[in-house]
Amino acid sequence: MDAFTDNLWLATLRPVDQKRLAPHLHERPFDPGLMLYDIGEAVDAVWFPLHGVVSLMTVVGDDRAVETAAIGREGLVGVTCGPMNGRAATRAVCQIEGVAACCPADVFADLLHQSAPMRVALSRFTEGLMAQVQQSAACNAQHRLDQRLARWLLTTHDRTDSDRLELTQADVADMLGVRRATVSEVSAELEGRGLIRRGRGWVCVTDRKALEAAACGCYGLMRGVMADLGLPQTVEA
């Protein structure tokens, strides 16, 4: 794999910055459920997904958590607002199996200090990430579960290489912060409309355009924000 091709954020960097970063990148696979870091923990590495999806989870009490952002090959995990946040404000959990190029956090911070264009690229990404978090919070509070589920499936589908998503009903319920039985009921409704198919441990997107029509407006709004910020997207806007 070529990190500077497979990760779209890395691909936007100037050749000189790619050259400085390249010796410090090491590939690491990740499996579903792997926690990269938890709230309050020191972040010792920056992850650049080449394939797969990582969820940023906000804990809401009793160790229950809900997804507030998803990151795939369009971005990086381990940096939030500012040049470097040494301790995690969210929980990062691998959602879809994949592999990432990793860089020690202190090295990445040094490289940022040396390069104004890298700092600008990171600022654009963190602004887009913050917008995603804010939109997710509003969506979770205001929209019907069928709309939220359609939106969530689209954002995950955007970040994978296949129409088939290796996810269980429990996985989806955890991401949306609802009961598994409720997700099963709403998923069956979407399946009955021909938008998705389901099996044991997987969901397949069968009619993406119809799924987009079924989602709330949050999905399109976030696509527009990403485009306005000039951020790379895994599916063309």
Side-chain angles (χ1 to χ4, degrees), residues 149-168:
L149 176 58
R151 184 264 302 169
W152 186 85
L153 288 171
L154 288 166
T155 58
T156 304
H157 185 244
D158 287 348
R159 292 165 172 81
T160 60
D161 301 320
S162 171
D163 291 334
R164 175 169 162 144
L165 310 176
E166 302 297 328
L167 295 163
T168 67

Side-chain angles (χ1 to χ4, degrees), residues 8 158 208 212 219 223-224 226-227 231-237:
L8 303 182
D158 287 348
R208 184 179 166 92
E212 289 179 2
Y219 177 73
R223 300 283 298 173
M226 301 286 277
L231 293 169
Q233 300 190 58
T234 52
V235 175
E236 291 185 5

Side-chain angles (χ1 to χ4, degrees), residues 1-45:
M1 297 181 184
D2 183 346
F4 296 105
T5 299
D6 291 337
N7 182 276
L8 303 182
W9 189 85
L10 290 176
T12 66
L13 298 180
R14 301 179 307 164
V16 63
D17 290 324
Q18 292 180 347
K19 186 175 180 180
R20 289 173 178 154
L21 187 55
H24 305 288
L25 294 178
H26 305 281
E27 285 189 13
R28 294 175 63 178
F30 53 81
D31 294 323
L34 174 67
M35 188 183 298
L36 303 186
Y37 51 78
D38 204 354
I39 295 172
E41 290 184 353
V43 178
D44 60 1

Side-chain angles (χ1 to χ4, degrees), residues 7 9-10 21 25 46-50 75-76 99-103 108:
N7 182 276
W9 189 85
L10 290 176
L21 187 55
L25 294 178
V46 179
W47 298 64
F48 303 91
L50 310 180
L76 59 160
V99 62
C102 294
C103 176
F108 188 68

Side-chain angles (χ1 to χ4, degrees), residues 22-232:
H24 305 288
L25 294 178
H26 305 281
E27 285 189 13
R28 294 175 63 178
F30 53 81
D31 294 323
L34 174 67
M35 188 183 298
L36 303 186
Y37 51 78
D38 204 354
I39 295 172
E41 290 184 353
V43 178
D44 60 1
V46 179
W47 298 64
F48 303 91
L50 310 180
H51 300 284
V53 183
V54 176
S55 293
L56 299 186
M57 311 287 292
T58 297
V59 175
V60 294
D62 299 326
D63 205 38
R64 292 182 300 113
V66 61
E67 184 192 82
T68 50
I71 301 172
R73 61 189 294 259
E74 82 287 351
L76 59 160
V77 181
V79 179
T80 53
C81 297
M84 177 60 60
N85 185 350
R87 293 198 175 272
T90 58
R91 176 181 295 168
V93 180
C94 300
Q95 178 193 130
I96 301 288
E97 178 183 8
V99 62
C102 294
C103 176
D106 55 348
V107 171
F108 188 68
D110 288 342
L111 293 174
L112 282 174
H113 182 71
Q114 297 172 31
S115 173
M118 274 187 72
R119 295 195 296 275
V120 170
L122 180 61
S123 294
R124 283 201 187 99
F125 174 76
T126 54
E127 186 172 343
L129 184 63
M130 181 60 68
Q132 186 182 166
V133 169
Q134 292 172 331
Q135 197 70 45
S136 292
C139 182
N140 290 339
Q142 296 295 325
H143 293 141
R144 300 192 315 265
L145 183 57
D146 61 316
Q147 296 174 317
R148 291 168 52 202
L149 176 58
R151 184 264 302 169
W152 186 85
L153 288 171
L154 288 166
T155 58
T156 304
H157 185 244
D158 287 348
R159 292 165 172 81
T160 60
D161 301 320
S162 171
D163 291 334
R164 175 169 162 144
L165 310 176
E166 302 297 328
L167 295 163
T168 67
Q169 296 289 325
D171 292 332
V172 179
D174 287 344
M175 295 301 109
L176 295 176
V178 298
R179 294 189 307 116
R180 177 180 175 181
T182 306
V183 166
S184 181
E185 180 181 341
V186 176
S187 297
E189 177 189 338
L190 295 182
E191 186 173 32
R193 292 159 58 185
L195 280 59
I196 63 173
R197 286 189 297 110
R198 298 177 299 156
R200 188 174 182 83
W202 59 267
V203 179
C204 183
V205 175
T206 54
D207 190 337
R208 184 179 166 92
K209 287 186 177 180
L211 194 62
E212 289 179 2
C216 56
C218 295
Y219 177 73
L221 284 171
M222 280 310 309
R223 300 283 298 173
V225 168
M226 301 286 277
D228 289 345
L229 288 171
L231 293 169

